């Protein structure tokens, strides 16, 4: 890692197909971050199993996600790019940090309460301990900055609390990370319910555009997107959430400003507008999908990338974990 650069950590779960919301908020940013930071990027398969997964599907999703990130511009030679479970230090650090984390803190986590309602038949300890594992992920690499969506802000705050608590108890050990909060395109909404964030686990998949959707599917979903009754194409999230969501997607994929987009569609109907949004998204997805398939077909290359990434990650993570073990009093030969 370059000494004059700050370290950035980010991870995403390999569950289901990613949406264009994930692309806008995460995938394309990973590629840009690697030029400015020492980046550590992970496929968070350990986090994924807090909800029951099909083992074969989880393995396939992990490889597909890795290939997708490379297709979107992540360069394994410029960053540390690995699968979380390939580095056992994550689980070991989580256990060490559990001793400084209180049950009440975990019970107050909004995501824990939400997921407990959605998965009432599987409220497991991993679900409650999710934020501590996330703290371990981040702190292992002496992370300076973490890109965070609004729904993860609380988890970063508990990571900071745990780091400060450990530093105060045992002497300075961890870098206390700061958050990077996206201001533009931070929230792409469901096409059928624009009051909700577009989700890869939504009950109705027609409200989400997945990175794996073919051209016909993309255009069909946009044609069915919710708008309103006044037929005016204007960015007004409060009064026109559906149209505003489509404009946000269009400007993101076309590179045009919001003013340019509003002028382009001035006087046009919603049918033409939705078709144009669908076409620009489909055009941008096609080359990414083709490159992802090419990488997936070269399994030796992909497995080699992940093996090398895990080796790089382990060297850094083990160094931090050894410091923690020494400070908390574990005997080390």
């Amino acid at each position: 890692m370059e000494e004059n650069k700050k370290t950035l950590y980010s991870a995403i779960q390999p569950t289901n197909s990613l949406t264009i919301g994930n692309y806008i908020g995460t995938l394309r940013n990973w590629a840009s971050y690697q030029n400015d930071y020492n980046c550590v990027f992970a496929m968070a398969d350990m986090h994924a199993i807090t909800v029951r997964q099909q083992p074969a599907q989880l393995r396939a999703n992990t490889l597909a996600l890795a290939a997708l990130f490379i297709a979107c511009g992540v360069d394994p030679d410029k960053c540390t790019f690995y699968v979380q479970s390939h580095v056992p230090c994550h689980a070991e650090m989580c256990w060490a940090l559990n001793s400084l984390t209180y049950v009440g803190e975990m019970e107050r986590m909004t995501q824990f309460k939400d997921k407990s309602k959605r998965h009432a038949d599987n409220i497991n300890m991993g679900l409650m301990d999710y934020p501590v594992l996330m703290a371990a992920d981040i702190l292992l690499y002496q992370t300076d900055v973490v890109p965070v969506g609004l729904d993860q802000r609380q988890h970063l705050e508990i990571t900071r609390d745990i780091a400060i608590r450990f530093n105060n108890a045992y002497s300075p050990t961890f870098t206390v990370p700061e958050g990077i909060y996206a201001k533009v395109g931070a929230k792409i909404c469901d096409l059928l319910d624009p009051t909700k964030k577009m989700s890869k686990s939504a009950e109705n998949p027609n409200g989400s555009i997945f990175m794996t959707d073919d051209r016909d599917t993309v255009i069909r979903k946009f044609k069915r997107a919710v708008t309103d009754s006044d037929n005016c194409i204007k960015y007004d999230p409060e009064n026109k959430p559906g149209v505003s969501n489509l404009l946000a997607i269009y400007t993101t994929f076309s590179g045009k400003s919001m003013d340019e987009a509003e002028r382009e569609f001035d006087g046009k109907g919603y049918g033409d507008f939705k078709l144009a949004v669908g076409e620009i998204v489909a055009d941008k997805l096609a080359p990414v999908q083709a490159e992802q398939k090419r990488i997936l077909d070269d399994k030796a290359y992909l497995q080699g990338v992940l093996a090398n990434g895990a080796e790089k990650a382990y060297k850094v993570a083990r160094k931090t974990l050894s410091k923690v073990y020494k400070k908390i009093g574990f005997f080390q030969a």
Side-chain angles (χ1 to χ4, degrees):
M1 291 188 177
E2 296 181 38
E3 292 185 5
N4 62 333
K5 287 185 178 181
K6 291 184 176 181
T7 296
L8 178 147
Y9 184 90
S10 190
I12 191 166
Q13 293 185 37
T15 54
N16 303 326
S17 296
L18 298 192
T19 70
I20 58 169
N22 300 124
Y23 170 76
I24 292 167
T26 304
L27 272 74
R28 65 176 188 159
N29 290 335
W30 277 21
S32 62
Y33 288 144
Q34 64 192 351
N35 295 319
D36 301 318
Y37 298 96
N38 289 318
C39 290
V40 183
F41 297 140
M43 271 56 68
D45 56 344
M46 293 171 68
H47 285 288
I49 63 170
T50 58
V51 176
R52 196 67 52 83
Q53 303 291 327
Q54 292 293 330
Q57 191 62 52
L58 180 59
R59 283 190 287 271
N61 286 345
T62 301
L63 287 175
L65 179 62
L68 180 59
F69 272 108
I70 297 172
C72 288
V74 168
D75 184 346
D77 292 329
K78 290 184 178 180
C79 64
T80 301
F81 183 65
Y82 69 106
V83 177
Q84 183 187 26
S85 65
H86 292 180
V87 182
C89 303
H90 287 261
E92 296 178 73
M93 180 67 85
C94 180
W95 183 250
L97 297 181
N98 274 332
S99 63
L100 286 99
T101 309
Y102 306 115
V103 173
E105 291 176 313
M106 297 299 96
E107 290 177 332
R108 289 193 293 272
M109 291 287 112
T110 301
Q111 197 168 92
F112 170 69
K113 290 188 284 189
D114 290 346
K115 285 192 175 182
S116 295
K117 290 177 183 176
R118 293 204 307 271
H119 304 281
D121 59 336
N122 186 28
I123 305 175
N124 57 71
M125 287 307 299
L127 196 62
M128 177 178 279
D129 212 29
Y130 184 108
V132 186
L133 179 57
M134 183 179 285
D137 299 338
I138 296 166
L139 299 179
L140 273 171
Y141 300 95
Q142 300 296 347
T143 301
D144 297 289
V145 293
V146 182
V148 238
L150 297 177
D151 57 341
Q152 293 291 343
R153 187 187 296 260
Q154 196 178 33
H155 287 166
L156 179 61
E157 288 306 313
I158 197 66
T159 296
R160 289 172 50 82
D161 290 345
I162 291 170
I164 292 168
R165 194 175 298 159
F166 190 99
N167 289 347
N168 289 340
Y170 295 105
S171 79
T173 307
F174 295 123
T175 300
V176 181
E178 302 287 341
I180 299 176
Y181 300 96
K183 294 181 174 62
V184 179
K187 186 177 181 182
I188 296 300
C189 297
D190 190 284
L191 299 182
L192 301 180
D193 184 357
T195 65
K196 295 180 179 178
K197 181 180 177 181
M198 186 178 287
S199 172
K200 60 181 180 173
S201 56
E203 290 184 13
N204 188 342
N206 288 313
S208 298
I209 303 296
F210 297 100
M211 296 296 292
T212 52
D213 283 345
D214 61 33
R215 184 179 188 85
D216 289 344
T217 301
V218 170
I219 291 174
R220 172 178 55 78
K221 287 182 178 180
F222 274 110
K223 284 182 176 180
R224 295 178 179 177
V226 168
T227 48
D228 50 49
S229 58
D230 71 3
N231 217 35
C232 176
I233 300 171
K234 177 176 70 168
Y235 188 73
D236 181 357
E238 185 174 343
N239 299 306
K240 299 172 70 67
V243 171
S244 298
N245 185 43
L246 293 175
L247 278 168
I249 294 170
Y250 183 78
T251 55
T252 298
F253 280 87
S254 68
K256 296 179 180 179
S257 69
M258 195 60 71
D259 286 343
E260 288 173 332
E262 288 181 342
R263 287 196 299 271
E264 180 179 349
F265 295 109
D266 184 32
K268 293 186 179 179
Y270 283 162
D272 290 340
F273 171 50
K274 289 192 281 189
L275 177 60
V277 180
E279 288 180 337
I280 192 68
V281 172
D283 287 345
K284 294 293 185 181
L285 291 185
V288 174
Q289 292 168 343
E291 180 65 3
Q292 181 191 24
K293 183 180 183 305
R294 186 193 68 77
I295 295 166
L296 272 174
D297 288 342
D298 190 350
K299 286 188 168 50
Y301 163 75
L302 189 55
Q303 290 173 1
V305 163
L306 296 177
N308 290 337
E311 185 178 350
K312 286 167 63 177
Y314 180 80
K315 288 178 181 178
V316 178
R318 188 71 220 180
K319 184 177 179 181
T320 301
L321 185 65
S322 294
K323 287 181 182 178
V324 168
Y325 277 4
K326 181 178 180 181
K327 291 194 176 186
I328 62 180
F330 286 173
F331 173 75
Q332 298 178 84

